Every structure is written in structure tokens, then in C-alpha cells.
Amino acid sequence: MNLKKFLITLVTGSLIFPQMSGASVHMSLSQYVREILVNNPSLQSGIKSVEADYYSVLASVGSQRLQVGASSGFTWISKVQGKDNYTAGNIGITLTKRIDISNSFTLDQQQNILGYEISRAQFDNALNDLIATAEETWWGAVLARENVKLQREILLQRSENHRVTVEKFNQELVPRLDVVRSEAQVVEAEATAKTAETTYQNLLANLSFLAGGLDVEPEEEELRVPEFDIELNQEDALNFRPDVRAAKLTLERAKIAKKLNAKGLSPTLDFAFTGYPWSDPKTSTTPNGQQVMGNLSLNFPLFNGRQTKYKVLNSDRLIQSAEANLKYLQETTKRDIIVALNNWKEAASSEHDKKRQVERSEEELRITELMYAEGMGAQIDLINAQTAYQSVRTEYLDAVKNMYVALVDLRKAIGDYSPDENGDWDEAVARYAKGNDIQNETGVKNLRTDTK
């Protein structure tokens, strides 16, 4: 590559590094999270699924309430042995109700409501994972953009060194080998810068995907080293992390299901009320005319093919499974917290060390460049200094990124990205009784969007 060709390439650098589309929206992290809450299709699907479970609970208890039915009938018989045609018609009303004499209704209601609360907890867990992924991707994009700036800076630096080398070669102060080496350094820097740009663009694509297709770019601001600002309470995490809460509710529901299945041979009491407000002739129905009839039926199941026995055994195994799963998730929570804390400590220590190395590397590079420009230093020393500077600056950005990632992992481990809920079934009953709209209950209004 001759000097003229190189300068043309440098001037047309915009062809190497395409600019972001003007359609991209620059926003802060908190604004981005709000966009996800509104636009993410997976999140909206989860909300609707929870709503469906809510109405499923209401439908399941419908059989416990009074049932009302209306009927009408018309009968026509043709002439028989010369007699007139026979016609009859009626309108009837029937009221039926199963009376709970074994406390099965309460247990059935509890297990259905717990099923809804489990669905809510699973939704909260999906939300916790989604926002953690979004924030980690966000900081990845921020640091990737910083890396693009760094690699462009290094490219310009090596380009200037190449220009000086070419001038020296033209003055017969350095051999042709120095020109070849400096040109190779520029080509390498160009390739590294292109890779950095591609990584950044891919992360922006992921940000857009999570926000439902909205073209997003983190707003420009000074890069800050994060501080540890999390109130860490492992006991709260073990009690209220969404997946742990779902496991606890699953265990409670399994215990209630066992009690309910144990009542498989319990007696049942059914009440029925039947009346015909209109019938013609009045003797065509039973009860006749405007009479009413009530019926009370008590049934005692004696044998159901051992269905009750095996349902109880099934419930017992589900309880054991739920207990084991709860223990597993509690241990997983402890491990996640420990690993995230260790990663934070390592990243914080690395950031401190790399920062000092950057300062020394910058000074070494400045002196080496000055010596080479004055003809007092070897080119190989300059190349080594440039390579070391690029490496330590890149490692420093990685250390800062790892600090952000560790904080995200820790918040995710304690369930900090999910709404504050305890999932008690009796609170759900209170919500149903008030007739609250489900969207208010499954919303994410309590979600922390002021992420640091």
C-alpha cells in the first residue's frame, strides 16, 4: 500500500465504519426497560397467559355455585282410532346445587387459586430473566461502543506511525522492512476495528429484538465504573425469588391436592328444584301445572376401582418431587449469589489493576513513539508498545463490562428484577372478591426500572 492509497483509505474511513441509522432512538437504560415492558412480545404473551389462568380459576369454581336451567317442550300425536290429535307443551325451570358436606369445595378452590399464583410466580421469573438479559445486553453494547472508539483511535495512531515511517523511508533513514511492518500494523488495526463494529451492531440488533423491534441505541454518556449498590439479603432471596416462590407454591398445592384426592369416596349431597310455570294440559308434566318439586339426594360412593388410592399415591409422589425441587432451587440460589459475588470481586480487582497498567502503557507508548520519531528507537520496540497498549486497553474495557455483568447476575440471583409478591392464595381470594381487573394484578408496576 503506497502513501497516496493509504491517505485515500483514511479519508474515506466512513466506508469502513458505517454510521448508525438515523432512525435509531437514543435512550437511557431505564427508558429502554420501559420499552421492553410495553413492546416485548414474549412478555405480552406471558401476561395474557396469566390472565387466562385467572379466568380458568373463576371457571373452575362455577360448578360449586347454584346452577339454573330453563327448558321447553312440545308434543304432538296424530289421530288414533278417530280421536282428535293430541298436543301438549310446557316451560320448565330447574335449580340444582351440590352441597359441600366434606369440605371438598374449599380444598378445590385453594388448589385452583394456588395454580394461578404459581403461574404468576413463573411469569415473574420469566420477567426476572428477561430484564436481566436486557440489562446485560445493554451494558455489553455500551462497552462494545467504547471498544469501537478505542480500535478507531488505535487505527489512527498506527496510521500516523505508518506515515512517519514512509517519510523516513523516502529520506532513506529506515529500511523497506520498516514500511512493510508498519503497513501490516495498519491492516491488523483495520481488521480489529471492523470486528469491533460488527460486535456492536449485533448487540444493537439484540437490543432491538428485546424491545419488540424498536431500533435502540444507548445514549452517549461518560463511561462510569459501577459501584456495588445492591442490598444483599440471602434470606429474602431464598423466600421470594420468583422460581423459589413458585416451587413453594407448587409444594403447597400438592399437599392440598393430596387432601382433596383423599376425599374421593366422600358422600355427596345434591339439591334440585323443578317447576313448570306453564304447561298445557296441566297434567302433562310432573309436577303438574304450577306445582314445584324439590329433591335432596345423598350419595355414598362405595368403590371406584381404587381410583382414590392411586390418586393419593400420585399426590404423595408429587409432594416428594416438589420438596426436592424446592431444595434444589434454594441451593441454586445460594450458588448463584456466591458465584456473582466472586465474579464481582474478581472484576473489580481486575479493573483496578488494568487501570494502573493502562497508565503505565500509555506512558511507555508515548516515550517509544517520541524516540522512534526522533530516530532514537527501533521500530520493533514501537510495535511491541502499540500491541501492549491495545491489549491492556481492551482488557480494561472487559474488566468494566464484567463488573456490570456481575451486578446484573447478582440482581437476577436475588430476584431483584421481578415484582414484589409473596403469592399467598388468600390474597388472591381477596383480589377476586373485589373483582379487580387482572391486568392491574399481573402488571409490572412494581418492577425496578431505576437500574443503576
Side-chain angles (χ1 to χ4, degrees), residues 318-337:
L318 290 177
I319 290 174
Q320 295 176 28
S321 174
E323 289 174 340
N325 185 55
L326 175 59
K327 184 177 179 180
Y328 166 77
L329 289 175
Q330 289 173 334
E331 293 301 321
T332 299
T333 301
K334 294 177 183 178
R335 181 208 61 188
D336 290 348
I337 292 174

Side-chain angles (χ1 to χ4, degrees), residues 20-204:
M20 287 298 300
S21 169
S24 296
V25 180
H26 290 73
M27 59 180 60
S28 65
L29 175 59
S30 59
Q31 291 172 329
Y32 176 63
V33 170
R34 293 189 186 98
E35 290 295 333
I36 290 178
L37 299 181
V38 174
N39 298 320
N40 183 269
S42 176
L43 186 63
Q44 297 306 314
S45 174
I47 290 175
K48 294 304 178 183
S49 178
V50 173
E51 289 183 16
D53 289 338
Y54 167 79
Y55 291 116
S56 177
V57 171
L58 297 184
S60 68
V61 298
S63 60
Q64 301 176 8
R65 302 189 179 105
L66 180 68
Q67 308 292 309
V68 180
S71 63
S72 62
F74 178 78
T75 302
W76 174 82
I77 302 177
S78 62
K79 293 182 180 180
V80 178
Q81 296 179 353
K83 295 183 179 179
D84 293 336
N85 295 337
Y86 176 81
T87 60
N90 62 77
I91 297 176
I93 296 178
T94 303
L95 307 179
T96 58
K97 176 77 168 68
R98 172 158 289 186
I99 301 173
D100 185 18
I101 60 175
S102 60
N103 199 35
S104 296
F105 283 3
T106 301
L107 293 174
D108 186 49
Q109 183 186 44
Q110 289 180 11
Q111 77 154 355
N112 282 303
I113 294 177
L114 279 171
Y116 166 70
E117 291 299 329
I118 291 169
S119 179
R120 283 171 57 87
Q122 291 172 341
F123 168 79
D124 291 347
N125 188 56
L127 177 63
N128 189 53
D129 291 344
L130 174 64
I131 302 302
T133 299
E135 184 173 348
E136 184 173 333
T137 305
W138 176 275
W139 292 120
V142 170
L143 271 299
R145 183 172 60 191
E146 293 298 318
N147 188 46
V148 169
K149 295 177 183 178
L150 170 62
Q151 301 308 325
R152 289 178 177 179
E153 175 188 328
I154 290 173
L155 174 58
L156 291 175
Q157 182 186 77
R158 293 187 179 184
S159 300
E160 175 62 19
N161 291 335
H162 179 66
R163 184 189 65 78
V164 171
T165 301
V166 171
E167 288 184 357
K168 285 187 174 185
F169 173 74
N170 292 335
Q171 298 172 11
E172 298 183 350
L173 299 176
V174 296
R176 175 64 182 171
L177 180 60
D178 282 10
V179 176
V180 174
R181 285 173 176 170
S182 63
E183 185 177 342
Q185 288 292 98
V186 172
V187 172
E188 179 186 357
E190 287 178 345
T192 303
K194 290 178 182 178
T195 300
E197 180 71 23
T198 300
T199 299
Y200 179 52
Q201 296 294 338
N202 288 342
L203 287 167
L204 291 183

Side-chain angles (χ1 to χ4, degrees), residues 202-217:
N202 288 342
L203 287 167
L204 291 183
N206 286 332
L207 288 178
S208 174
F209 169 74
L210 293 172
L214 179 67
D215 289 332
V216 177
E217 187 174 2

Side-chain angles (χ1 to χ4, degrees), residues 139-399:
W139 292 120
V142 170
L143 271 299
R145 183 172 60 191
E146 293 298 318
N147 188 46
V148 169
K149 295 177 183 178
L150 170 62
Q151 301 308 325
R152 289 178 177 179
E153 175 188 328
I154 290 173
L155 174 58
L156 291 175
Q157 182 186 77
R158 293 187 179 184
S159 300
E160 175 62 19
N161 291 335
H162 179 66
R163 184 189 65 78
V164 171
T165 301
V166 171
E167 288 184 357
K168 285 187 174 185
F169 173 74
N170 292 335
Q171 298 172 11
E172 298 183 350
L173 299 176
V174 296
R176 175 64 182 171
L177 180 60
D178 282 10
V179 176
V180 174
R181 285 173 176 170
S182 63
E183 185 177 342
Q185 288 292 98
V186 172
V187 172
E188 179 186 357
E190 287 178 345
T192 303
K194 290 178 182 178
T195 300
E197 180 71 23
T198 300
T199 299
Y200 179 52
Q201 296 294 338
N202 288 342
L203 287 167
L204 291 183
N206 286 332
L207 288 178
S208 174
F209 169 74
L210 293 172
L214 179 67
D215 289 332
V216 177
E217 187 174 2
E219 62 183 7
E220 290 282 354
E221 58 180 349
E222 182 181 357
L223 179 64
R224 296 172 312 203
V225 177
E227 298 180 357
F228 192 88
D229 58 351
I230 300 176
E231 296 181 4
L232 183 60
N233 188 323
Q234 182 169 300
E235 196 63 33
D236 284 348
L238 291 174
N239 287 327
F240 302 119
R241 199 171 96 155
D243 54 349
V244 175
R245 193 174 83 241
K248 288 184 176 180
L249 293 170
T250 300
L251 175 58
E252 185 177 352
R253 188 188 188 198
K255 291 179 179 179
I256 291 177
K258 182 178 180 179
K259 294 179 182 179
L260 182 62
N261 288 330
K263 295 181 178 293
L265 292 176
S266 299
T268 60
L269 182 62
D270 294 295
F271 171 77
F273 173 89
T274 304
Y276 291 91
W278 174 83
S279 62
D280 183 36
K282 296 186 180 300
T283 58
S284 64
T285 60
T286 303
N288 296 332
Q290 296 182 357
Q291 293 179 335
V292 295
M293 178 177 66
N295 179 61
L296 195 63
S297 175
L298 181 62
N299 300 302
F300 292 91
L302 300 178
F303 182 72
N304 61 0
R306 296 184 179 177
Q307 187 180 78
T308 298
K309 174 185 176 180
Y310 292 121
K311 280 188 174 182
V312 171
L313 289 174
N314 172 265
S315 299
D316 184 66
R317 298 306 184 273
L318 290 177
I319 290 174
Q320 295 176 28
S321 174
E323 289 174 340
N325 185 55
L326 175 59
K327 184 177 179 180
Y328 166 77
L329 289 175
Q330 289 173 334
E331 293 301 321
T332 299
T333 301
K334 294 177 183 178
R335 181 208 61 188
D336 290 348
I337 292 174
I338 293 173
V339 170
L341 280 174
N342 290 339
N343 289 342
W344 163 262
K345 294 175 183 177
E346 179 185 5
S349 175
S350 177
E351 185 276 334
H352 178 73
D353 294 339
K354 295 302 177 183
K355 184 177 181 180
R356 296 170 59 192
Q357 292 180 33
V358 167
E359 294 171 354
R360 291 195 297 267
S361 182
E362 284 179 342
E363 180 65 13
E364 178 185 355
L365 180 59
R366 185 186 67 80
I367 295 173
T368 306
E369 287 178 335
L370 181 60
M371 291 179 64
Y372 182 73
E374 297 294 331
M376 301 171 59
Q379 187 195 47
I380 193 65
D381 293 334
L382 176 61
I383 292 176
N384 290 338
Q386 290 175 339
T387 302
Y389 176 73
Q390 179 183 23
S391 176
V392 74
R393 284 285 302 274
T394 304
E395 290 172 359
Y396 177 75
L397 290 178
D398 286 339

